[in-house]
């Protein structure tokens, strides 16, 4: 899926934000730097900047998500955009025509951006290919493919805590196979020059040729966590447990659950991350989730600033207009 | 085309500090807070802050999120975080910039300051003022007044040493 050409214009600026794949370090760093400035808005008494006054952002969610939708909504509102939340139940739409009809109707209302969450891989790309030139699309998660804003807020959290990527060991633990988050994280971490990216999972939860993404593969927690600076626990999708991937939640926790004992193998200053919502006692025990090394709530907080950066950098403007000197 | 201005900036800053002191005294303000506008305004503010011997740390503003031309030029990729390390409510604030030209930057800065709180007063100090105002904004303290043509711009280089030059821009 070539998002790279679709999402960056001739001047190297963001046109849409669909995938981390193919984005260069410079642009990723620009997003993280902008997010750093937007994080300061939360310190203001009026937690709002007038940047996107008069713009309309549509949260087009074909798949349920509370946290992602809420942080996107808050991000757009803190930029002074108007926000429309539309939840389209997947059963009501059959791909193709109906989706395009939905789009055309919304476009007729003069909206400026679609934030799209869909259970099908490639849905955001499809929409980006069909919107009018003045409309931008931000991918808020598509099937197993990508969740680029989550990956960006994760690397933002790492950069804030560690200040660098070069000599870091980052271990991503869990269901890599079904995880759009893991895929986007791996691309982002590698693009930013992370020292070593590891994936830790049973064979049944790893995609074929996962090494080609630029990761070291571990099957045992004890090995994968050794000297890690960052431990990212993935959410175990319970709906995916029905297949032949795993015997039981209890068995999963016994083998891959993060406990204080296991975390002792990582560096003393290691941080623990999770995209949420956490399954306590499945991916990690409460002692770890609520412990001093957990940055899970920081991730949520950073999600707003990072999404403000991505929305404002992706929003279409009448470029080429002569700027007024200060 | 760029021509360096032969101006003793340290002497100008000393004059500005004296004028500010006088202004503040006349208003009965004893503990002003100072805010510099990125980037040149912060350099000027750092020096005035020192010359006035203010104890409280300097605030810095990047007005990129408050500009009035986002829909025309988009996001400024070089934006830096704003940081106001004091409570703005009921404070007397000295706002500092390098050059006062159209007044649009100051309009944006005032809006941003008011999103941090309601100051008792704001006083504007600039190193250079020049013609070309597009908004009713004036400086209470200006280091130098320069008569420039509309296609000429003042640029401040820094942070050490500070140097002023005039650049002639081609019409776009």
């Amino acid at each position: 899926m070539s998002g790279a050409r679709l999402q960056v214009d001739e001047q190297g600026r963001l046109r849409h934000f669909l995938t981390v794949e193919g984005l260069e370090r410079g642009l990723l760093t620009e997003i993280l730097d902008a997010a750093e400035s937007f994080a300061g808005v939360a310190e203001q008494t009026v937690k709002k900047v007038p940047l996107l006054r008069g713009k309309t952002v549509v949260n087009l969610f074909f798949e349920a998500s509370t946290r992602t939708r809420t942080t996107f909504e808050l991000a757009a509102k803190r930029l002074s955009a108007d926000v429309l939340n539309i939840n389209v139940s997947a059963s009501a739409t059959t791909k193709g025509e109906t989706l395009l009809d939905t789009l055309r109707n919304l476009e007729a209302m003069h909206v400026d951006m679609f934030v799209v969450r869909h259970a099908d891989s490639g849905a955001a790309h499809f929409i980006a290919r069909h919107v009018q030139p003045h409309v931008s699309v931000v991918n808020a998660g598509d099937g197993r493919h990508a969740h680029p804003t989550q990956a960006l807020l994760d690397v933002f959290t790492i950069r804030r805590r560690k200040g660098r990527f070069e000599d870091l060991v980052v271990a991503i633990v869990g269901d890599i196979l079904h995880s759009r988050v893991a895929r986007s994280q791996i691309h982002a971490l590698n693009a930013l020059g992370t020292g070593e990216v590891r994936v830790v999972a049973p064979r049944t939860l790893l995609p074929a040729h996962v090494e080609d993404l630029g990761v070291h593969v571990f099957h045992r927690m004890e090995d994968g966590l050794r000297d890690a600076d960052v431990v990212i626990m993935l959410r175990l999708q319970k709906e995916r447990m029905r297949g032949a991937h795993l015997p039981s939640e209890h068995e999963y926790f016994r083998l891959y659950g993060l406990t204080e004992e296991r975390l002792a193998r990582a560096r003393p200053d290691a941080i623990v991350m999770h995209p949420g919502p956490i399954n306590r006692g499945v991916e990690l025990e409460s002692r770890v989730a609520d412990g001093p090394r957990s940055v899970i709530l920081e991730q949520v907080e950073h999600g707003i600033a990072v999404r403000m950066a991505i929305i404002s950098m992706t929003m279409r403007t009448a470029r080429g207009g002569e700027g007024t000197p200060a | 085309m760029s021509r360096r201005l032969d101006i003793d900036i340290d002497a100008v800053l000393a004059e500005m500090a004296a004028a500010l002191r006088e202004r503040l005294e006349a208003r009965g303000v004893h503990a002003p807070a100072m805010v510099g506008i990125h980037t040149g305004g912060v350099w000027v503010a750092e020096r005035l802050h020192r010359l006035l011997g203010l104890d409280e740390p300097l605030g810095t503003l990047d007005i990129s999120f408050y500009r009035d031309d986002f829909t025309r030029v988009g996001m400024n990729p070089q934006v830096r975080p704003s940081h106001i390390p004091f409570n703005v409510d009921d404070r007397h604030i000295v706002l500092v910039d390098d050059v006062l030209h159209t007044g649009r930057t100051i309009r944006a800065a005032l809006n941003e300051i008011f999103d941090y709180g309601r100051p008792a007063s704001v006083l504007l100090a600039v190193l250079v003022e020049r013609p070309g105002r597009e908004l009713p904004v004036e400086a209470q303290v200006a280091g130098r007044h320069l008569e420039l043509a509309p296609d000429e711009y003042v640029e401040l280089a820094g942070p050490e040493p500070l140097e002023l030059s005039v650049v002639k821009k081609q019409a776009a």
Side-chain angles (χ1 to χ4, degrees):
Chain A
M1 229 167 306
S2 82
R5 251 176 306 155
L6 194 57
Q7 66 184 350
V8 180
D9 69 12
E10 312 79 52
Q11 281 89 46
R13 302 175 78 148
L14 282 175
R15 170 75 185 81
H16 302 289
F17 190 72
L18 305 173
T19 172
V20 181
E21 202 176 347
L23 290 185
E24 283 167 16
R25 184 177 192 160
L27 191 54
L28 294 178
T29 305
E30 214 176 279
I31 296 170
L32 299 182
D33 290 346
E36 200 64 63
S37 295
F38 281 117
V41 174
E43 291 169 24
Q44 297 177 192
T45 312
V46 178
K47 294 173 183 46
K48 220 171 164 67
V49 294
L51 203 60
L52 299 189
R53 261 183 329 149
K55 300 281 186 188
T56 305
V57 175
V58 179
N59 284 328
L60 197 53
F61 277 55
F62 296 88
E63 190 184 69
S65 155
T66 310
R67 183 182 334 241
T68 302
R69 211 219 62 220
T70 312
T71 49
F72 262 111
E73 182 174 352
L74 216 43
K77 284 180 170 170
R78 288 193 178 169
L79 291 166
S80 301
D82 293 308
V83 185
L84 215 61
N85 290 312
I86 298 183
N87 297 309
V88 192
S89 77
S91 59
T93 50
T94 50
K95 272 169 281 168
E97 274 177 318
T98 322
L99 178 57
L100 284 181
D101 280 342
T102 309
L103 278 184
R104 294 289 169 255
N105 275 285
L106 288 165
E107 279 179 345
M109 301 175 201
H110 300 285
V111 304
D112 301 287
M113 177 177 284
F114 289 116
V115 174
V116 180
R117 158 75 67 109
H118 203 291
D120 289 345
S121 302
H125 290 69
F126 175 81
I127 291 172
R129 242 176 255 119
H130 289 90
V131 289
Q132 290 174 14
H134 69 276
V135 179
S136 314
V137 177
V138 172
N139 186 1
D142 63 326
R144 293 187 192 183
H145 173 242
H147 194 352
T149 61
Q150 175 71 45
L152 265 283
L153 76 87
D154 292 333
V155 292
F156 182 78
T157 304
I158 293 172
R159 194 176 79 162
R160 272 212 153 178
R161 278 295 183 136
K162 300 291 177 191
R164 66 197 196 277
F165 293 98
E166 284 69 21
D167 57 344
L168 291 186
V169 176
V170 180
I172 306 173
V173 183
D175 184 359
I176 312 286
L177 178 65
H178 299 101
S179 176
R180 54 192 174 207
V181 174
R183 226 168 287 267
S184 292
Q185 284 167 340
I186 292 167
H187 286 305
L189 288 166
N190 281 328
L192 290 165
T194 305
E196 184 187 350
V197 183
R198 300 174 181 169
V199 293
V200 187
R203 279 169 222 283
T204 50
L205 291 180
L206 281 169
H209 312 298
V210 65
E211 298 87 350
D212 297 349
L213 294 174
V215 294
H216 291 139
V217 179
F218 293 83
H219 298 299
R220 279 166 40 90
M221 267 299 249
E222 285 69 19
D223 302 330
L225 293 188
R226 186 162 294 135
D227 295 327
D229 298 282
V230 178
V231 181
I232 301 177
M233 303 303 296
L234 296 173
R235 180 173 158 77
L236 192 68
Q237 308 283 357
K238 292 193 180 180
E239 55 273 27
R240 280 162 188 150
M241 295 283 295
R242 282 178 222 112
H245 299 295
L246 274 179
S248 74
E249 277 180 20
H250 178 75
E251 180 73 358
Y252 181 83
F253 182 74
R254 198 178 65 74
L255 291 169
Y256 292 97
L258 188 62
T259 58
E260 282 290 349
E261 291 70 40
R262 284 193 169 133
L263 190 54
R265 304 213 165 218
R267 289 194 176 276
D269 62 347
I271 54 171
V272 176
M273 301 172 61
H274 190 294
I278 56 175
N279 294 311
R280 289 174 185 269
V282 181
E283 300 112 20
L284 68 179
E285 62 176 4
S286 287
R287 260 203 306 164
V288 175
D290 307 325
R293 293 195 269 184
S294 164
V295 296
I296 295 171
L297 292 178
E298 274 173 47
Q299 288 174 269
V300 179
E301 185 190 341
H302 295 159
I304 299 171
V306 167
R307 286 173 177 128
M308 285 171 83
I310 290 166
I311 290 172
S312 52
M313 288 172 72
T314 310
M315 184 65 76
R316 287 265 87 182
T317 52
R319 300 250 166 78
E322 194 191 338
T324 310
Chain B
M1 226 183 357
S2 170
R3 124 182 101 86
R4 230 198 98 190
L5 292 171
D6 189 24
I7 292 176
D8 181 349
I9 293 184
D10 284 337
V12 175
L13 287 165
E15 287 167 31
M16 286 176 71
L20 264 174
R21 222 176 257 129
E22 210 170 291
R23 278 271 176 178
L24 292 165
E25 226 155 86
R27 289 190 180 195
V29 177
H30 302 295
M34 192 173 275
V35 174
I37 301 175
H38 275 298
T39 305
V42 174
W43 298 334
V44 176
E46 279 166 352
R47 284 161 175 81
L48 290 175
H49 191 265
R50 216 177 304 137
L51 289 168
L52 291 175
L54 303 180
D55 305 327
E56 219 165 4
L58 178 72
T60 59
L61 284 186
D62 186 310
I63 54 102
S64 298
F65 300 151
Y66 288 78
R67 288 182 67 111
D68 55 18
D69 54 2
F70 173 81
T71 51
R72 294 208 271 170
V73 299
M75 254 277 278
N76 168 19
Q78 267 89 51
V79 57
R80 282 133 308 191
S82 292
H83 186 55
I84 307 288
F86 46 83
N87 188 351
V88 164
D89 281 326
D90 302 322
R91 292 300 303 273
H92 294 277
I93 290 175
V94 178
L95 179 62
V96 182
D97 204 1
D98 49 358
V99 182
L100 176 59
H101 180 189
T102 63
R104 287 177 192 268
T105 299
I106 303 306
R107 193 283 306 166
L110 288 172
N111 281 21
E112 182 160 3
I113 288 172
F114 275 74
D115 280 350
Y116 281 90
R118 183 180 185 276
S121 72
V122 180
L123 199 145
L124 178 61
V126 297
L127 185 62
V128 173
E129 65 162 344
R130 53 153 301 167
R133 221 70 77 239
E134 293 167 2
L135 295 171
V137 171
E138 291 309 329
Q140 278 68 56
V141 172
R144 279 288 180 277
H145 178 86
L146 297 178
E147 279 302 324
L148 296 175
D151 62 345
E152 291 179 317
Y153 295 86
V154 190
E155 277 181 6
L156 180 66
E160 200 61 62
L162 291 180
E163 263 182 30
L164 280 167
S165 51
V166 171
V167 185
K168 212 173 170 71
K169 293 223 166 110
Q170 312 285 5

